[in-house]
Amino acid sequence: QQQQQQQQQQGGGRRRRRQHSSSHQEHHSYWNNRPLMPWDWTKCSKTGLAKAPRSHFDKVTKRLVLQMDHYCPWLFNTVGWANYRYYLMFQFHLVTSTLYIIIMTARPFWIVVHSPSTYKSKGGGGGG
């Protein structure tokens, strides 16, 4: 106990992280990448239906969504496994079109701002 107290005082109370063996890492990689089995499914407490692993109940649409990411109000849908590709394509086209609009309007805007004498009305300022 005294040795442990001395080690804690010297180390600032931090515990060292235990080094895992390669078999331990292999064990975890197997469990993270193994195929899904029927006993991995549970029952959803909200709907009472069978709930697949990595699925979540969406409060907005009131349904189970496999690998639910978030609810997107722009798509008016929940982003999950079935439509994640379409969501990414939507984001890509949104950014691309925004950049296109900025590039196409930058030059005319620059011309208008830096040569205002061309667009001023000529005359005495009164309407005559």
Side-chain angles (χ1 to χ4, degrees):
Q1 286 182 347
Q2 290 175 351
Q3 287 179 343
Q4 289 176 353
Q5 289 174 354
Q6 289 174 355
Q7 288 175 353
Q8 285 179 355
Q9 289 172 356
Q10 291 172 354
R14 295 184 203 159
R15 292 185 180 182
R16 283 187 177 174
R17 198 167 183 194
R18 191 173 69 152
Q19 297 293 329
H20 297 295
S21 64
S22 63
S23 64
H24 182 78
Q25 291 171 352
E26 290 171 6
H27 174 74
H28 277 290
S29 66
Y30 168 76
W31 284 105
N32 291 337
N33 297 322
R34 70 182 175 81
L36 297 175
M37 299 297 175
W39 53 81
D40 291 332
W41 289 56
T42 57
K43 186 177 180 182
C44 178
S45 61
K46 307 268 198 280
T47 61
L49 299 173
K51 181 176 177 268
R54 297 181 295 277
S55 65
H56 300 281
F57 182 78
D58 181 29
K59 294 177 185 176
V60 179
T61 59
K62 296 187 177 25
R63 59 185 172 153
L64 283 171
V65 180
L66 187 61
Q67 292 182 350
M68 179 179 149
D69 190 14
H70 67 282
Y71 178 79
C72 181
W74 300 106
L75 298 176
F76 197 62
N77 202 358
T78 306
V79 177
W81 179 80
N83 61 354
Y84 197 74
R85 180 179 79 183
Y86 303 110
Y87 172 72
L88 289 178
M89 290 303 294
F90 170 72
Q91 292 291 319
F92 172 75
H93 288 292
L94 184 70
V95 170
T96 305
S97 61
T98 303
L99 289 174
Y100 178 76
I101 291 169
I102 290 171
I103 290 168
M104 295 306 289
T105 58
R107 186 169 185 265
F109 180 76
W110 184 267
I111 291 170
V112 169
V113 169
H114 289 292
S115 59
S117 61
T118 312
Y119 297 100
K120 283 186 180 176
S121 64
K122 296 180 182 178

